[in-house]
Amino acid sequence: MPLLESAAKLFRLVYILCWDLSLTLVNLVTPSLKPGRIVPHESPGAGGKWPEFVPPKEGDSRCACPMLNALANHGILPHDGRNIRFTELTQTVRTSYNFASTFCVFVPRYAADLLLKNYKTDTFDLAELSQHNGIEHDASLTRQDAEYDPDQSRVHLPFVNALLACASGKDRAGHVRLTPADVSRYSSTRRAAARATNPAFTLSRTHKMFGSSNSSTLLTILGGRVADVEVFLKEERIPAGWEPRAAHRMGLTMLAFQRTVLKVECAIDEGAVLSEGDAE
């Protein structure tokens, strides 16, 4: 049975990657979606009209991902963050954030496997996604390490403020934005600091890629715009009138996303941060 399960997972991965490549090619030869039409018209958030924001109340389940928490805070996912179907997560993330279908199948399936649940039939609470060294990891850009704050639903504002202060770019409309270099620089600082101060610090190669993937979402789906990033990270709220900055007709594919992830990860240099500290 384990051998059959492994073969099935391998086949599914190859299928998703081939599917993703085909969507990437379609994006290359078709025009992007026009502003105001990125979120499907029948979905919450169409035309920038998002459901009312309601902060979580006591007993609601939240996780280490601000963008998933935002969906719950707007009632696009169940507001209490509980008993969410993995298939529901796939559909909701696809329509709300314009990730490609492949992305929206792969990540919830990965989460289901991590939690030893069935993607098609089981449910989960958002807090379950914060299982330490599952998807959640040390040296987060928005949370204290689990060693110091086991409740990974809580944003650590000093980290967010330091990240936003790194922004050095501007987009064509003149909005201040984070660049991949900015995110790499701050990720270097966070990793070096966490490694030096957390006696239980761990960060595998896989979790390094998770970290750079999380931060790359700020650069792709949010376009790096500091005004939007600040609202998402500090309030876990979707700004009025906002729509995904990734306007690809088939959504942001895994292949296209990895270009940003690798750009961020490959430029992270903890040693440079330590050298700067020694020089000071």
Side-chain angles (χ1 to χ4, degrees):
M1 184 62 70
L3 182 60
L4 290 176
E5 289 179 357
S6 297
K9 288 181 180 179
L10 179 60
F11 175 81
R12 187 167 64 229
L13 176 60
V14 172
Y15 174 80
I16 289 176
L17 292 177
C18 291
W19 179 18
D20 192 75
L21 176 59
S22 69
L23 295 182
T24 302
L25 294 175
V26 171
N27 281 338
L28 290 175
V29 298
T30 56
S32 295
L33 296 167
K34 295 181 179 180
R37 298 184 178 180
I38 298 175
V39 177
H41 73 274
E42 72 279 5
S43 301
K49 297 178 181 179
W50 296 94
E52 180 184 4
F53 168 80
V54 179
K57 64 181 186 302
E58 185 176 355
D60 286 347
S61 183
R62 295 294 185 267
C63 65
C65 177
M67 295 183 75
L68 292 184
N69 291 342
L71 292 178
N73 290 338
H74 284 272
I76 302 168
L77 288 174
H79 188 270
D80 64 0
R82 299 186 181 279
N83 299 312
I84 301 168
R85 299 188 310 275
F86 290 99
T87 52
E88 177 184 8
L89 182 63
T90 290
Q91 178 63 24
T92 301
V93 171
R94 171 74 185 99
T95 56
S96 299
Y97 293 139
N98 199 35
F99 279 106
S101 299
T102 45
F103 206 117
C104 298
V105 168
F106 177 80
V107 175
R109 276 192 176 275
Y110 181 91
D113 289 343
L114 180 70
L115 298 176
L116 303 178
K117 295 191 176 187
N118 185 288
Y119 167 77
K120 292 184 178 180
T121 60
D122 287 340
T123 65
F124 68 98
D125 297 345
L126 284 176
E128 293 182 76
L129 299 179
S130 294
Q131 176 181 307
H132 183 51
N133 280 342
I135 294 175
E136 181 275 337
H137 54 84
D138 286 336
S140 164
L141 303 191
T142 66
R143 265 69 174 164
Q144 289 186 300
D145 289 356
E147 175 76 6
Y148 301 111
D149 188 358
D151 183 0
Q152 288 294 296
S153 70
R154 281 196 290 244
V155 64
H156 189 60
L157 291 178
F159 289 169
V160 175
N161 288 332
L163 169 64
L164 299 177
C166 288
S168 65
K170 286 190 177 182
D171 61 19
R172 292 179 180 179
H175 299 99
V176 178
R177 70 180 186 91
L178 289 162
T179 68
D182 297 333
V183 173
S184 296
R185 185 166 59 254
Y186 188 58
S187 296
S188 301
T189 299
R190 281 290 301 121
R191 290 184 187 182
R195 191 182 301 277
T197 59
N198 180 359
F201 178 82
T202 59
L203 195 67
S204 67
R205 181 175 300 177
T206 296
H207 290 111
K208 287 180 179 180
M209 293 303 295
F210 275 149
S212 290
S213 295
N214 293 337
S215 56
S216 292
T217 301
L218 307 179
L219 301 172
T220 51
I221 301 301
L222 301 186
R225 289 188 182 182
V226 166
D228 292 338
V229 172
E230 183 170 19
V231 173
F232 267 95
L233 297 189
K234 289 186 175 182
E235 302 177 44
E236 299 186 334
R237 174 173 65 83
I238 303 175
W242 179 85
E243 60 184 351
R245 304 302 174 194
H248 314 287
R249 187 163 294 272
M250 296 292 107
L252 179 63
T253 64
M254 296 164 61
L255 181 59
F257 185 64
Q258 285 306 309
R259 289 183 299 180
T260 302
V261 174
L262 291 174
K263 184 180 293 186
V264 169
E265 179 60 34
C266 291
I268 293 175
D269 186 353
E270 293 182 45
V273 172
L274 296 174
S275 297
E276 290 176 6
D278 292 340
E280 292 176 1

